Amino acid sequence: MKILIDEGTIKKRVAEIAKLVALEFNGQPITVVGVLTGCLIFVADLVRQLDIPVRICFVRASSYRGETTVPGDLNIDASMLPDIHDRNILLVDDILDSGHTLSKLKKYLGEKGCRSIRTAVLLRKLGRQEHPIEPDYCGFEIPDKFVVGYGLDYNDEYRNLPYIGELN
Ligand code: IMP
Ligand code: MG
């Protein structure tokens, strides 16, 4: 496994993002909505650095793209989502690839009547985006490689690695 981003570098960047989020919300409470399962570690580290009142909840999203490049429908499981009416939302995912997941989820949450919605991703793969969405917070831009660790998986494995590695 080739290490792309080491543990210390991630830690530093997550702390920077937390500072920027806290600065933007300026003491107002936010609801962090994590996209399972990849967000797991990022959300856990981010919220512990956030110096504002935080609620945490999760949604699950899966797309059926298979081997084709045709973007399939996004299946959203929001059964764990509380009432987000009038709340400031920070939608958190592990990686922005085609942008399908984040753009669809942002639209979905927006229709639930939240007050505001911001998006944060740990990683953004360059040259892959098909859906127009600009994340408000992004940890690192990476080349078009399949990566694992720090929540990201291959066949549900490697999520526990403390670094971002390039799978070969
Ligand atoms: P998008 O909808 O194409 O932006 O895909 C985002 C989702 O695809 C992420 O939430 C990940 O679960 C998954 N994904 C995309 N690229 C990778 C990768 O390199 N490693 C692991 N998961 C990935
Ligand atoms: Mg995911």
Side-chain angles (χ1 to χ4, degrees):
M1 183 90 56
K2 182 182 157 196
I3 297 181
L4 213 63
I5 309 169
D6 67 40
E7 196 176 350
T9 307
I10 298 173
K11 192 173 177 188
K12 222 173 115 212
R13 185 65 184 134
V14 171
E16 282 170 8
I17 293 173
K19 272 219 179 81
L20 293 172
V21 171
L23 201 68
E24 171 171 7
F25 287 98
N26 190 26
Q28 291 180 86
I30 67 167
T31 301
V32 170
V33 179
V35 185
L36 291 173
T37 305
C39 75
L40 177 73
I41 316 283
F42 183 32
V43 164
D45 283 350
L46 184 68
V47 293
R48 283 180 292 175
Q49 300 280 335
L50 273 176
D51 196 13
I52 51 175
V54 172
R55 287 184 169 92
I56 306 166
C57 59
F58 299 97
V59 292
R60 183 178 282 282
S62 47
S63 50
Y64 302 108
R65 277 174 300 170
E67 296 296 301
T68 72
T69 51
V70 181
D73 242 6
L74 192 75
N75 184 34
I76 299 171
D77 175 1
S79 59
M80 294 167 283
L81 196 70
D83 182 12
I84 56 166
H85 183 81
D86 216 24
R87 300 232 186 272
N88 297 310
I89 303 293
L90 182 66
L91 176 61
V92 179
D93 203 356
D94 50 3
I95 185 166
L96 184 86
D97 186 19
S98 71
H100 187 222
T101 306
L102 209 63
S103 61
K104 283 278 161 65
L105 277 175
K106 187 178 177 184
K107 183 163 177 277
Y108 178 87
L109 295 175
E111 287 164 357
K112 298 262 175 216
C114 49
R115 181 185 305 187
S116 70
I117 177 156
R118 296 288 183 270
T119 55
V121 291
L122 181 73
L123 307 173
R124 179 182 203 170
K125 248 189 229 184
L126 294 175
R128 293 272 304 170
Q129 206 168 327
E130 296 166 15
H131 299 261
I133 180 160
E134 235 2 81
D136 298 289
Y137 302 96
C138 174
F140 306 92
E141 295 188 330
I142 61 164
D144 184 6
K145 305 277 175 157
F146 197 85
V147 292
V148 295
Y150 201 77
L152 290 108
D153 74 304
Y154 174 69
N155 274 346
D156 259 337
E157 276 187 80
Y158 308 108
R159 293 194 197 276
N160 58 315
L161 297 178
Y163 52 83
I164 298 291
E166 187 187 321
L167 203 64
N168 43 28

